[in-house]
Amino acid sequence: QKEVEQDPGPLSVPEGAIVSLNCTYSNSAFQYFMWYRQYSRKGPELLMYTYSSGNKEDGRFTAQVDKSSKYISLFIRDSQPSDSATYLCAMSVSPRGGYQKVTFGTGTKLQVIP
Amino acid sequence: DADVTQTPRNRITKTGKRIMLECSQTKGHDRMYWYRQDPGLGLRLIYYSFDVKDINKGEISDGYSVSRQAQAKFSLSLESAIPNQTALYFCATSEDSGSHQVDNEQFFGPGTRLTVL
């Protein structure tokens, strides 16, 4: 079983829709949860970052973490064609000192249709 | 100008050839990483470096070697390329701020698409 599971999609939605992207994980030690966005032919870039459980909002984007269910979500409101990209979840544990291994999901490809 | 650059952007080579992928950064970060990305497998860490004298193996280092020539430069070599090393390779950097919350953000280059025939 992979440490992080993510539906690869593709997910196609009409412009203006609310999008829900999700990941599940098995390592209960994960404390830091991230969402990266990767446009075609580009490297991933950090979109959202949360620590432990709860919600975090940034404009049209909301990241949600449910540690009891080992489930994280990214919601995109009023989706735009420019949101079309692959979204990767990522997680890490925070050991004292040393390298923090970041475990990435495989990514969900999103297409927002005008 | 891009903060993290990779050369070449695309490369086709043959089995058994030695290949070097190069990464340069202008972000002033100490930490640098090499990942490969494969469909269905996501990003997997090959090597990482905390500074010029500190290089560590990642989860899939077999068949690869690295060189940290300077704070800004980190090269990945495939000593004898094989077809299952065909993948998209990314270099990334992160800041060692001493705060564990900041270290998690990694800044990626645009990637090198490598095909081994």
Side-chain angles (χ1 to χ4, degrees), chain B residues 23 34 37 45 47 53-54 60-61 73 78 82 95 101:
Chain B
C23 176
W34 274 106
Q37 187 176 42
L45 184 65
Y47 269 95
K53 296 182 180 180
D54 185 2
I60 54 163
S61 59
K73 295 184 182 297
L78 287 67
I82 57 176
E95 183 177 10
Q101 292 194 34

Side-chain angles (χ1 to χ4, degrees), chain A:
Chain A
Q1 182 189 7
K2 292 180 181 177
E3 272 192 301
V4 177
E5 298 277 1
Q6 185 175 11
D7 188 330
L11 180 62
S12 292
V13 301
E15 183 176 353
I18 296 174
V19 176
S20 173
L21 304 168
N22 311 292
C23 287
T24 58
Y25 62 95
S26 58
N27 186 349
S28 59
F30 285 140
Q31 295 186 70
Y32 297 91
F33 303 93
M34 296 152 279
W35 286 95
Y36 280 79
R37 179 175 60 195
Q38 184 176 13
Y39 289 114
S40 181
R41 301 182 186 277
K42 301 284 187 181
E45 57 179 350
L46 185 66
L47 187 62
M48 297 281 288
Y49 179 104
T50 57
Y51 171 62
S52 193
S53 288
N55 292 0
K56 184 175 182 179
E57 189 173 320
D58 184 1
R60 297 184 295 109
F61 298 88
T62 299
Q64 191 173 80
V65 175
D66 182 349
K67 291 188 73 179
S68 62
S69 300
K70 299 189 181 67
Y71 189 87
I72 69 170
S73 301
L74 178 70
F75 297 97
I76 307 174
R77 291 185 301 279
D78 188 24
S79 57
Q80 302 295 308
S82 59
D83 295 327
S84 297
T86 296
Y87 291 80
L88 296 89
C89 62
M91 313 177 186
S92 71
V93 176
S94 175
R96 290 188 179 276
Y99 169 67
Q100 296 184 68
K101 179 179 181 292
V102 178
T103 302
F104 289 86
T106 53
T108 298
K109 188 172 184 178
L110 171 67
Q111 183 178 19
V112 181
I113 302 169

Side-chain angles (χ1 to χ4, degrees), chain B residues 5-12 19-23 34 89 110-114:
Chain B
T5 57
Q6 293 183 236
T7 55
R9 293 294 312 276
N10 292 281
R11 182 71 184 268
I12 300 173
I19 295 296
M20 179 180 285
L21 309 183
E22 300 188 355
C23 176
W34 274 106
Y89 289 84
T112 295
R113 186 168 296 278
L114 177 66

Side-chain angles (χ1 to χ4, degrees), chain B residues 19-104:
Chain B
I19 295 296
M20 179 180 285
L21 309 183
E22 300 188 355
C23 176
S24 295
Q25 53 113 348
T26 59
K27 299 190 75 66
H29 290 168
D30 287 324
R31 299 184 175 189
M32 297 187 74
Y33 312 82
W34 274 106
Y35 289 91
R36 63 178 282 176
Q37 187 176 42
D38 299 273
L41 296 176
L43 281 162
R44 293 181 292 167
L45 184 65
I46 306 172
Y47 269 95
Y48 63 100
S49 171
F50 280 177
D51 63 37
V52 175
K53 296 182 180 180
D54 185 2
I55 293 176
N56 305 277
K57 293 182 178 180
E59 57 188 296
I60 54 163
S61 59
D62 287 348
Y64 301 95
S65 62
V66 291
S67 173
R68 186 83 184 265
Q69 302 94 324
Q71 186 208 34
K73 295 184 182 297
F74 193 35
S75 300
L76 176 73
S77 293
L78 287 67
E79 297 301 327
S80 180
I82 57 176
N84 77 358
Q85 291 178 313
T86 293
L88 190 54
Y89 289 84
F90 287 103
C91 173
T93 73
S94 70
E95 183 177 10
D96 179 10
S97 69
S99 163
H100 58 250
Q101 292 194 34
V102 175
D103 289 349
N104 281 295

